[in-house]
Amino acid sequence: MAKTKVYTASLPPDGLYKKDPLPPLTERERKTYTEVSRHFLKGDFKIPGTPNGELSEDEKFWLSYECILRFLRGSRWKALDTIQRLEATLKWRRDFGLYTRVNASLVEKEAVTGNLLLLGHDTQGRPAFYLIPNRQSTTGDIKHIQSAIFMLERCIDLMPPGVETLDFLITFTPQSSQPPFSFTRTLLSTLQTHYPERLAFASITNPPLMLNIMIKFVLTFIDPITRAKCKFDPKELLRDRIFKPEGLMKKWWGGGLDFEFEHERYWPELIELTEARMAKWKERWRELGGRVGIREWLYKRPSGTERESVDMRNGKNGDLAASLSHQNTTTVSPASSDEDCNDHKLLSPWVLVDEP
């Protein structure tokens, strides 16, 4: 039986995790998290170096519990470094225009060629982000960066509950154009600085000789943990069961996902899907209190109980009820049965932070 061709991005496996996959925090980690979250919960907080520096709703939404933890891990649990990095990223997101000018209309000219694709998920529910340089049509580093970051943000929209990382898959064909060194350096630097703990791994196939040398050179400037995530043999993806065949593109990667790019079918569905998911998450986030530190795990999951929003509305100290507890939670693999779901008991998520 012939396999059906695929023309659109895959739906995320939102029911993959039945229990909170984050491990419990140590006492020291909880204290450090509280110190960082309290800084951004202060009523007089403003983003340094920006006019009208009060946090917008979008910025509060971005500053989730998991987001703060990602920056804490990326800063090796140093509170001051984490605060400075978060402030710098908040400023960068404003200056770059992520909430204003960098939108679907702006980057569609670049997207028409299919050089950047979000397609499929691996066995852990991580979305796959494909970059195909030979399809790149426009010139100018800023256009390429805007398009890449816009698609990275949509990739995050396709992360199901419990998933925080993605797979970055780059393939080069004999006709591939070589992206400018400045573009490659800027993109890697942006990922490392403003998207810590987001990369599961990067797989790079068939790079031209000179580009291969350049990539190896650039990697010398990347931290060892990120560098170790780079793979150069696409066979590893299936051999190591990172992907099932049906989750990996057939062309160039040897998977079973027979994808054919048609912009008129792919682009509108991708934008509609990601916008709908974001709108749903924001509505749920508002129900949970609409403030810094709310858990992605809670607002991404279907609303099966009103306890979280009731706890938040009735909590002491109002806006300061944002630090969340991981006590008695466990690290789990993706659930494979209804029994896992029935076993799950959602603990009260809120830990009140004392007024500074």
Side-chain angles (χ1 to χ4, degrees):
M1 180 178 177
K3 292 187 176 180
T4 305
K5 277 191 177 292
V6 175
Y7 297 90
T8 59
S10 309
L11 289 173
D14 283 332
L16 189 66
Y17 290 93
K18 304 300 183 182
K19 296 182 181 180
D20 184 353
L22 277 177
L25 298 182
T26 65
E27 182 63 28
R28 173 182 171 274
E29 289 170 344
R30 283 196 295 272
K31 288 181 179 179
T32 307
Y33 171 82
T34 299
E35 180 180 350
V36 173
S37 63
R38 179 183 289 158
H39 175 79
F40 294 97
L41 284 162
K42 291 186 298 187
D44 60 349
F45 173 77
K46 293 185 179 180
I47 303 171
T50 63
N52 303 317
E54 294 85 359
L55 291 176
S56 67
E57 183 183 68
D58 285 326
E59 288 161 342
K60 291 176 183 178
F61 178 80
W62 177 77
L63 271 169
S64 67
Y65 173 74
E66 286 88 344
C67 173
I68 294 173
L69 285 189
R70 286 190 292 271
F71 276 79
L72 277 166
R73 293 194 299 267
S75 302
R76 293 173 173 77
W77 293 92
K78 296 177 182 177
L80 181 58
D81 289 354
T82 301
I83 289 170
Q84 291 174 343
R85 287 188 65 179
L86 281 166
E87 289 179 341
T89 295
L90 283 164
K91 184 177 186 304
W92 171 81
R93 291 174 73 85
R94 276 201 187 184
D95 293 343
F96 193 76
L98 277 178
Y99 306 118
T100 52
R101 64 181 179 276
V102 179
N103 52 35
S105 297
L106 178 72
V107 305
E108 187 172 5
K109 183 178 180 181
E110 178 78 9
V112 144
T113 64
N115 67 313
L116 300 169
L117 294 171
L118 308 181
L119 185 69
H121 292 73
D122 68 13
T123 56
Q124 302 300 307
R126 297 174 295 221
F129 185 177
Y130 293 87
L131 191 150
I132 309 168
N134 72 305
R135 293 182 177 176
Q136 194 163 284
S137 61
T138 60
T139 58
D141 285 358
I142 186 59
K143 293 179 181 178
H144 297 160
I145 291 293
Q146 287 173 334
S147 183
I149 297 302
F150 176 83
M151 291 296 278
L152 176 58
E153 290 286 322
R154 305 293 72 76
C155 193
I156 293 170
D157 294 343
L158 294 176
M159 292 178 181
V163 174
E164 299 182 56
T165 56
L166 60 92
D167 306 322
F168 198 46
L169 310 179
I170 310 171
T171 186
F172 294 88
T173 68
Q175 298 80 30
S176 291
S177 59
Q178 180 170 310
F181 176 78
S182 58
F183 165 76
T184 305
R185 181 180 58 191
T186 300
L187 180 58
L188 289 174
S189 175
T190 300
L191 292 173
Q192 183 176 359
T193 303
H194 301 301
Y195 293 87
E197 302 291 308
R198 282 298 195 185
L199 181 65
F201 66 86
S203 183
I204 307 170
T205 65
N206 305 318
L209 178 60
M210 290 305 297
L211 184 57
N212 191 34
I213 294 173
M214 184 182 75
I215 290 171
K216 298 290 179 62
F217 174 73
V218 170
L219 287 176
T220 62
F221 297 96
I222 305 300
D223 68 87
I225 296 176
T226 302
R227 192 161 59 241
K229 297 175 181 178
C230 296
K231 301 178 182 296
F232 293 88
D233 183 0
K235 295 179 181 178
E236 293 179 276
L237 303 181
L238 294 174
R239 185 183 63 212
D240 297 343
R241 299 181 181 179
I242 296 169
F243 280 87
K244 291 181 179 179
E246 60 267 27
L248 187 65
M249 191 187 294
K250 178 179 180 181
K251 189 175 184 180
W252 298 309
W253 297 92
L257 192 55
D258 190 8
F259 175 76
E260 184 172 326
F261 178 71
E262 292 182 5
H263 178 75
E264 294 75 14
R265 298 177 69 172
Y266 177 83
W267 185 252
E269 289 206 22
L270 173 68
I271 300 306
E272 183 180 358
L273 172 62
T274 53
E275 286 182 351
R277 289 173 67 80
M278 180 59 72
K280 183 178 179 180
W281 291 345
K282 279 192 175 179
E283 181 181 0
R284 178 73 173 134
W285 172 79
R286 293 184 189 106
E287 292 173 357
L288 293 167
R291 48 175 60 84
V292 169
I294 292 178
R295 291 222 47 196
E296 295 172 19
W297 171 253
L298 292 178
Y299 67 67
K300 286 186 176 184
R301 296 167 68 240
S303 178
T305 176
E306 295 303 317
R307 179 171 181 178
E308 299 96 338
S309 55
V310 171
D311 285 348
M312 193 62 175
R313 285 195 298 267
N314 295 338
K316 297 179 184 177
N317 300 331
D319 288 347
L320 293 174
S323 180
L324 306 175
S325 173
H326 277 310
Q327 297 179 52
N328 302 320
T329 59
T330 56
T331 305
V332 297
S333 298
S336 58
S337 69
D338 290 337
E339 183 179 354
D340 292 319
C341 183
N342 294 333
D343 269 350
H344 176 54
K345 301 214 180 344
L346 182 64
L347 301 177
S348 178
W350 311 113
V351 174
L352 303 180
V353 181
D354 293 335
E355 187 104 35

